[in-house]
């Protein structure tokens, strides 16, 4: 089966589609920066701003009774002496009222223990064997954020350097453009997710961006490799050779994307909760990355 | 032919070795998989950077304290030059650890300034009444305190604040009580003069229950020179009205008088007791802190992670499901598309899994949730190289080449793109490992190792297995290598 992607014909459509995605991402980032409560391009989670996150299961016979988060908060307010922090609590019931998930600003270990004891009094008994509690200081959060941004920049620089050495400057430039395109779109999608669903990004999100960067370049490099090889035995015109090379690598690129997506989908479906958004970010990155490697990056090489 | 057999035996040998390693050196599971607490301790230094020596000194003090606490299998690592990561496996409450670790535990002995008796007595009385308030408050809180009671102690607190001429800043009521107690302890400390006896002169600490009541006391044992200093100091104040204060972290824990009988020699024997109305728990914590020595720099606990044991085992199970289903679906996809070649890649994927896990137990890599996701993701990437090669082989077959020619040039021609592609991923892993935090490091390590091993399994193992297959005549038909619907092309 031969594939026949009409790259030359559809160049404009590809560019407009990418421009549309980029504008949409920028819009999300701008909206997030100016019109949300957190005033950041993306909704930073407690990894970066500090805080307290607690997830614990209730011990119930058969079914857990339905409780409203508001009434629980009301009870907590009565018991607790620190009225101020209760106002900043986010409390949710999940998993048929079985799982309690709480977010608060930063607490000391003692205060956090106190909170759990109070909760046990109100809606107990709680199963301490299934507790997942995280406390992170605001100072450490800031440090993690700078750490993540630095590692992103350093590795982007390293990747750019590598492909500039391996390929000529034009190829390297376009591979990088495709890479930034992919990262920007994933970032934009998570900006929107933050605005609409209050999804927060943590340090694993930074990891997914880095992995996407490596993967996206990988994909593009393979196609450019093929283009370069075919141009050496240049039988058809320049543009036609590029289009042919893309069609020759099409199967390979979609197949590798599918085989990488399959394990990620298994993590999304069966894996632990804490890896859900991480795997989703990676999956999105791989989908956008394949699109840009197959369609966008080679189209940039086309001559008018 | 002989060389091919050599590779085949080598691969079988590696597989056996991996199984042996996995049986004898079990994988190390991170806290998110076995349950437990993890604390990140930040060393605080006002000016300049924390030096290597200081880091080591803090490390050894914390290490001693953790050991004295009796936590088994704990693990302490330094991170980034000014942080320590302490792991306490098993479901352990980080509260005790935080109380014991966070204190500097700087021990001092001071003698009372002359003419301060009235001030001291006054402060001691205030301290006593605050202690009573704290006790009352914590009892009442357990029984769901009523507002009436709160009002009573609030009034008491106001009285104390007025007498001390001090007003607390804390928002929280309990916080107020603790703050005032600290203030009084410090005021008491100010009435005393430093001596040259300190925690450095200590060689051991212990605890025992007092005979007269249920309180506990902490026993101190001095070194030889420390014992002499102690005798000297007690001699100088014996029989006077001056008291000897035992001060920890600038707050006076107890003040004692030295009896008339010690005027000639002082208290000899090189030991002392602190009886400060300790509960069993408090006495133990103080004992652990003193035994471990004082911290050269203060530390702050900036992060804690606690994961219940049940949740940990659930996490393992979920990851197992994810990994196995990922492997199965990738396998089905590959066999469906590449037939025998796909089957070869499944075999080399299984080898890949074994080699990976064996290497984790050998290095050793601690498996965490992000680590496992790195491993699962690298399954997908491991197939990547195989697909590149197989596509090349198919092209050669379509061009009418013989099977063995196609296989040879397929592997050869795919080489450069495979290496190029993997290097960019390795670069990202390398940066992540250098700059990342603990959890991120786990992901970077497993993904990086995975990519390296996949280079070996996809380039070498796949080739060897494929060559082995093609020695059988029945497995040499071209249509076993191409999907039927495409064969006519």
């Amino acid at each position: 089966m031969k594939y026949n992607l009409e790259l030359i014909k559809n160049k404009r459509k590809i560019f407009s589609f990418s421009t549309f995605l980029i504008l949409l991402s920028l819009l999300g980032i701008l909206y997030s920066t100016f019109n949300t409560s957190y005033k950041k391009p993306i909704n930073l989670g407690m990894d970066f701003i500090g805080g307290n996150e607690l997830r614990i299961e209730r011990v119930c016979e058969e079914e857990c009774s339905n409780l409203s988060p508001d009434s629980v908060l009301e009870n907590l307010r009565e018991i607790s002496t620190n009225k101020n922090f209760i106002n900043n609590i986010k409390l949710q019931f999940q998993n048929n009222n079985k799982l309690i998930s709480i977010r608060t600003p930063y607490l000391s270990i003692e205060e956090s223990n106190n909170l759990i004891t109070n909760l046990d009094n109100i809606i107990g008994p709680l199963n301490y064997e299934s507790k997942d509690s995280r406390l992170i200081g605001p100072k450490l959060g800031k440090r993690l954020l700078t750490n993540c941004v630095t590692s992103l920049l350093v590795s982007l620089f390293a990747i750019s350097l590598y492909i500039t050495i391996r390929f000529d400057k034009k190829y390297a430039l376009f591979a990088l453009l495709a890479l930034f395109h992919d990262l920007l779109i994933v970032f934009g999608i998570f900006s929107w997710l933050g605005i609409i669903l209050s999804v927060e990004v943590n340090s694993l999100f930074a990891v997914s961006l880095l992995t996407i960067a490596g993967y996206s370049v990988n994909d593009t490099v393979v196609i450019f490799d093929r283009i370069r090889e075919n141009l050496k035995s240049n039988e058809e015109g320049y543009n036609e050779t590029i289009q042919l090379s893309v069609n020759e690598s099409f199967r390979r690129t979609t197949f590798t994307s599918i085989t990488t997506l399959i394990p990620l989908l298994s993590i999304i479906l069966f894996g632990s909760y804490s890896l859900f958004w991480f795997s989703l970010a990676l999956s999105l990155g791989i989908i956008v990355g394949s699109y840009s490697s197959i369609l966008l990056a080679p189209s940039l090489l086309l001559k008018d | 032919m002989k060389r091919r057999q050599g590779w085949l035996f080598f691969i079988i040998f590696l597989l056996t070795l991996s199984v042996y390693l996995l049986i004898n050196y079990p994988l190390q599971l991170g806290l998110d998989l076995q349950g437990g607490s993890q604390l990140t301790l930040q060393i605080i230094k006002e000016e300049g950077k924390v030096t290597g020596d200081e880091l080591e000194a803090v490390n050894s003090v914390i290490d001693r304290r953790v050991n004295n606490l009796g936590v088994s299998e704990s693990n302490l690592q330094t991170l980034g030059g000014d942080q320590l990561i302490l792991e306490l496996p098993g479901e352990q409450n980080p509260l005790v650890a935080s109380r014991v670790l966070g204190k500097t535990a700087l021990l001092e002995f001071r003698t009372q300034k002359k003419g301060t008796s009235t001030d001291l007595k006054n402060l001691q009385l205030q301290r006593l009444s605050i202690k009573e308030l704290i006790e009352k408050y914590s009892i009442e809180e357990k029984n769901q305190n009523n507002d009436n009671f709160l009002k009573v102690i609030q009034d008491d607190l106001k009285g104390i604040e007025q007498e001390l001429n001090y007003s607390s800043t804390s928002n929280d009521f309990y916080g107020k009580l603790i703050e005032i107690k600290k203030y009084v302890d410090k005021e008491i400390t100010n009435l005393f003069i430093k001596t040259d006896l300190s925690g450095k002169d200590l060689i051991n600490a212990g605890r025992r229950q007092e005979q007269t009541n249920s309180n506990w006391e902490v026993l101190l044992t001095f070194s030889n020179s420390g014992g002499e200093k102690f005798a000297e100091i007690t001699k100088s104040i014996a029989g006077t009205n001056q008291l000897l204060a035992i001060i920890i972290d600038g707050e006076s824990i107890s003040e004692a008088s030295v009896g008339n009988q010690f005027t000639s020699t002082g208290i000899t024997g090189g030991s002392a007791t602190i009886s400060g109305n300790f509960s069993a728990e408090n006495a133990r914590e103080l004992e652990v802190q003193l035994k471990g020595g004082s911290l050269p720099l203060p530390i702050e606990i900036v992060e804690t992670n606690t994961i219940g044991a049940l949740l940990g085992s659930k996490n393992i199970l979920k990851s197992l499901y994810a990994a196995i289903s990922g492997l199965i679906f990738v396998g089905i996809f590959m066999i469906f598309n590449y037939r025998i070649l796909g089957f070869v890649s499944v075999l080399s994927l299984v080898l890949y899994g074994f080699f990976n896990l064996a290497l984790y137990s050998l290095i050793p890599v601690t498996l965490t949730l992000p680590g496992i996701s790195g491993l699962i993701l690298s399954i997908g990437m491991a197939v990547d190289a195989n697909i590149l090669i197989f596509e090349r082989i198919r092209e050669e077959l379509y061009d009418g080449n013989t099977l063995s020619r196609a296989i040879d040039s397929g592997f050869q021609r795919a080489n450069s793109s495979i290496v190029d592609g993997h290097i960019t991923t390795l670069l990202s892993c390398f940066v992540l490992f250098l700059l990342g935090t603990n959890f991120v490091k786990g992901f970077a390590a497993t993904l990086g190792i995975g990519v390296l091993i996949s280079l070996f399994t996809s380039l070498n193992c796949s080739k060897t297995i494929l060559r082995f297959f093609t020695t059988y005549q029945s497995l040499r038909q071209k249509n076993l290598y191409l999907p039927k619907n495409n064969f006519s092309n």
Side-chain angles (χ1 to χ4, degrees):
Chain A
M1 198 160 43
K2 288 275 179 203
Y3 294 89
N4 197 11
L5 298 173
E6 297 276 356
L7 218 55
I8 304 170
K9 244 194 221 164
N10 295 310
K11 193 173 138 184
R12 249 165 229 287
K13 278 187 198 155
I14 293 165
F15 287 163
S16 338
F17 182 61
S18 280
T19 318
F20 171 71
L21 287 181
I22 288 172
L23 287 179
L24 207 63
S25 301
L26 288 175
L27 191 69
I29 292 167
L30 286 176
Y31 187 87
S32 179
T33 313
F34 296 106
N35 292 309
T36 50
S37 54
Y38 44 87
K39 302 272 176 240
K40 299 265 158 54
I42 199 159
N43 194 357
L44 297 178
M46 63 170 273
D47 272 19
F48 299 132
I49 53 175
N52 173 31
E53 190 176 58
L54 172 72
R55 295 162 62 80
I56 195 163
E57 275 179 13
R58 292 161 68 193
V59 182
C60 316
E61 285 172 25
E62 290 172 29
E63 239 172 73
C64 285
S65 56
N66 198 353
L67 283 169
S68 91
D70 284 338
S71 70
V72 175
L73 282 180
E74 195 51 46
N75 281 320
L76 268 180
R77 192 170 289 132
E78 270 171 31
I79 288 183
S80 172
T81 44
N82 186 349
K83 309 283 181 210
N84 193 26
F85 105 98
I86 297 283
N87 294 334
N88 290 313
I89 283 191
K90 281 182 209 148
L91 192 145
Q92 278 181 326
F93 289 100
Q94 291 159 339
N95 213 350
N96 288 330
N97 293 310
K98 196 170 185 204
L99 185 71
I100 309 163
S101 136
I102 295 188
R103 280 283 314 271
T104 72
Y106 179 68
L107 299 174
S108 71
I109 297 176
E110 267 163 39
E111 286 170 319
S112 162
N113 263 34
N114 228 343
L115 176 68
I116 297 175
T117 319
N118 285 342
L119 264 180
D120 204 330
N121 285 335
I122 301 170
I123 41 177
L126 301 175
N127 183 359
Y128 290 87
E129 289 277 287
S130 70
K131 178 174 76 167
D132 180 352
S133 141
R134 242 158 86 65
L135 285 170
I136 193 157
K139 261 190 245 158
L140 182 70
K142 249 186 201 159
R143 200 162 134 159
L144 279 180
L145 185 61
T146 28
N147 231 328
C148 282
V149 175
T150 335
S151 26
L152 255 177
L153 293 178
V154 170
S155 78
L156 283 183
F157 177 75
I159 290 174
S160 325
L161 202 67
Y162 176 74
I163 52 177
T164 322
I165 294 170
R166 279 293 276 119
F167 286 88
D168 66 56
K169 280 199 188 99
K170 193 172 75 180
Y171 282 59
L173 178 73
F174 290 144
L176 281 178
L177 268 180
L179 162 66
F180 286 120
H181 164 269
D182 303 343
L183 291 181
L184 181 67
I185 289 170
V186 175
F187 195 94
I189 293 174
F190 272 79
S191 271
W192 279 113
L193 283 174
I195 296 165
I196 300 165
L197 297 175
S198 313
V199 172
E200 291 174 346
V201 301
N202 55 21
S203 39
L204 279 181
F205 177 72
V207 175
S208 65
L209 286 186
L210 266 171
T211 317
I212 291 167
Y215 190 85
S216 155
V217 171
N218 177 341
D219 252 8
T220 316
V221 159
V222 171
I223 292 183
F224 280 6
D225 235 16
R226 176 65 73 120
I227 292 175
R228 198 164 53 169
E229 193 186 314
N230 282 347
L231 279 176
K232 274 180 205 155
S233 58
N234 201 353
E235 283 157 16
E236 294 168 74
Y238 176 82
N239 281 356
E240 286 73 20
T241 310
I242 290 176
Q243 182 166 304
L244 177 76
S245 315
V246 170
N247 281 310
E248 280 176 356
S249 353
F250 180 72
R251 258 177 75 93
R252 175 265 152 195
T253 309
T254 40
F255 276 24
T256 53
S257 301
I258 291 171
T259 51
T260 315
L261 277 175
I262 291 172
L264 284 173
L265 285 179
S266 347
I267 301 179
I268 291 179
L269 290 178
F270 305 116
S272 146
Y273 166 82
S274 57
L275 296 175
F276 179 84
W277 293 110
F278 173 61
S279 320
L280 188 76
L282 278 176
S283 309
L284 288 171
I286 282 163
I287 293 168
V288 180
S290 319
Y291 154 76
S292 76
S293 308
I294 298 171
L295 297 176
L296 182 65
S299 299
L300 288 168
L301 282 176
L302 290 176
K303 283 179 184 153
D304 273 328
Chain B
M1 189 62 206
K2 275 209 169 137
R3 241 185 85 207
R4 282 175 215 166
Q5 267 185 358
W7 275 114
L8 195 63
F9 285 127
F10 180 62
I11 290 166
I12 293 170
F13 166 72
L14 280 182
L15 182 65
T16 326
L17 186 71
S18 306
V19 174
Y20 171 81
L21 281 172
L22 282 172
I23 292 170
N24 290 289
Y25 301 90
L27 293 166
Q28 288 188 15
L29 299 180
L31 292 182
D32 47 3
L33 297 175
Q34 58 166 319
S37 304
Q38 184 196 49
L39 299 111
T40 309
L41 317 171
Q42 170 79 52
I43 302 173
I44 299 162
K45 197 175 182 187
E46 298 288 309
E47 277 168 36
K49 276 197 168 172
V50 178
T51 65
D53 285 348
E54 284 168 335
L55 182 68
E56 196 148 306
V58 173
N59 192 49
S60 67
V61 171
I62 297 283
D63 196 37
R64 279 199 297 270
R65 286 191 191 175
V66 175
N67 283 333
N68 288 335
L69 262 180
V71 178
S72 58
E73 288 177 74
S74 65
N75 176 26
L76 186 67
Q77 291 171 281
T78 57
L79 178 78
D82 61 351
Q83 285 182 340
L84 297 169
I85 290 183
L86 174 65
E87 291 183 327
L88 307 168
E91 240 274 68
Q92 310 218 2
N93 192 339
L95 187 62
V96 178
S98 85
R99 276 208 302 256
V100 174
L101 301 179
K103 297 243 172 69
T104 316
L106 185 68
L107 177 69
E108 292 171 283
F109 294 84
R110 297 191 185 188
T111 53
Q112 195 183 351
K113 289 177 187 166
K114 278 178 185 151
T116 54
S117 297
T118 0
D119 287 349
L120 182 62
K121 264 183 199 139
N122 195 12
L123 283 168
Q124 280 174 328
L125 276 176
Q126 302 289 4
R127 181 170 63 187
L128 201 64
S129 42
I130 293 170
K131 269 189 182 165
E132 277 168 8
L133 279 186
I134 291 175
E135 234 163 76
K136 267 191 207 166
Y137 180 78
S138 45
I139 291 168
E140 205 58 31
E141 195 169 42
K142 272 178 202 146
N143 313 332
Q144 315 264 323
N145 53 17
N146 55 54
D147 284 348
N148 248 345
F149 171 79
L150 256 182
K151 265 186 199 128
V152 174
I153 48 177
Q154 233 154 3
D155 288 342
D156 286 350
L157 185 68
K158 265 192 195 137
I160 293 171
E161 281 185 311
Q162 266 170 7
E163 269 188 59
L164 286 171
N165 202 7
Y166 175 84
S167 59
S168 55
T169 51
S170 177
N171 297 323
D172 180 50
F173 189 72
Y174 185 73
K176 272 187 184 181
L177 289 172
I178 298 292
E179 188 187 327
I180 292 174
K181 184 177 173 293
K182 274 194 179 170
Y183 171 77
V184 174
D185 284 339
K186 279 197 178 135
E187 284 296 296
I188 292 177
T189 306
N190 287 338
L191 303 178
F192 289 80
I193 308 166
K194 269 192 186 173
T195 66
D196 57 352
L197 183 65
S198 75
K200 286 188 182 129
D201 299 304
L202 217 57
I203 48 172
N204 203 0
R207 79 198 133 109
R208 68 167 176 227
Q209 201 157 12
E210 286 177 34
Q211 278 165 354
T212 47
N213 54 33
S214 62
N215 283 338
W216 285 72
E217 54 190 11
V218 176
L219 304 162
L220 307 175
T221 313
F222 297 111
S223 63
N224 283 340
S225 63
E228 279 164 29
K229 284 183 202 167
F230 188 65
E232 198 67 29
I233 294 162
T234 45
K235 186 177 153 191
S236 73
I237 59 167
T240 65
N241 278 332
Q242 281 169 279
L243 301 181
L244 177 71
I246 299 169
I247 290 157
I248 292 169
D249 289 341
E251 287 159 25
S252 183
I253 299 290
S254 86
E255 304 88 33
S257 58
V258 182
N260 244 331
Q261 68 270 35
F262 296 110
T263 33
S264 53
T265 56
I267 301 175
T268 53
S271 65
T273 51
I274 318 174
S275 38
N277 298 327
F278 293 115
S279 66
E281 207 181 345
N282 288 341
R284 190 172 93 98
E285 286 170 11
L286 185 59
E287 177 199 349
V288 167
Q289 286 166 358
L290 292 175
K291 261 190 191 166
S294 63
L295 283 169
L297 287 170
I299 59 161
E300 189 185 346
I301 294 171
V302 288
E303 186 188 5
T304 63
N305 263 319
T306 314
I307 288 157
L310 187 68
L311 194 65
S313 55
K314 268 189 195 164
N315 280 341
I316 294 186
L317 218 59
K318 282 180 173 173
S319 312
L320 215 61
Y321 286 150
I324 290 175
S325 61
L327 207 61
I328 289 176
F329 285 123
V330 168
I332 291 174
F333 181 83
M334 290 300 282
I335 292 175
F336 181 76
N337 277 300
Y338 296 102
R339 320 207 63 205
I340 283 208
L341 291 174
F343 184 65
V344 169
S345 73
V346 171
L347 288 182
S348 70
L349 261 191
V350 172
L351 285 175
Y352 166 82
F354 274 107
F355 294 166
N356 247 314
L357 292 176
L359 207 60
Y360 294 165
S361 67
L362 196 66
I363 291 181
V365 173
T366 305
L367 263 188
T368 58
L369 273 182
I372 287 182
S373 75
L375 173 66
I376 297 177
L377 182 62
S378 70
I379 295 175
M381 294 193 167
V383 194
D384 189 297
N386 273 324
I387 291 180
L388 267 170
I389 297 164
F390 294 168
E391 285 294 325
R392 285 285 185 171
I393 292 179
R394 282 169 63 149
E395 277 171 42
E396 303 280 324
L397 286 178
Y398 282 135
D399 286 350
N401 281 315
T402 62
L403 188 61
S404 67
R405 270 284 295 273
I407 292 173
D408 274 343
S409 60
F411 274 92
Q412 225 162 43
R413 291 175 63 189
N415 256 344
S416 91
S417 357
I418 292 174
V419 173
D420 270 343
H422 282 71
I423 280 179
T424 52
T425 308
L426 279 177
L427 279 175
S428 306
C429 289
F430 186 65
V431 174
L432 278 176
F433 192 80
L434 281 186
L435 296 173
T437 52
N438 220 24
F439 275 107
V440 174
K441 273 193 166 75
F443 173 79
T446 52
L447 185 61
I449 292 173
V451 167
L452 282 176
I453 293 185
S454 85
L455 276 179
F456 173 70
T457 51
S458 56
L459 290 179
N460 201 310
C461 298
S462 298
K463 192 150 105 186
T464 311
I465 296 170
L466 197 54
R467 286 261 177 72
F468 176 73
F469 277 14
T470 50
T471 53
Y472 293 95
Q473 185 63 41
S474 55
L475 292 175
R476 274 212 293 259
Q477 285 149 357
K478 271 191 186 181
N479 62 347
L480 291 176
Y481 294 80
L482 300 167
K484 274 197 184 103
N485 57 335
N486 290 352
F487 193 54
S488 57
N489 195 309

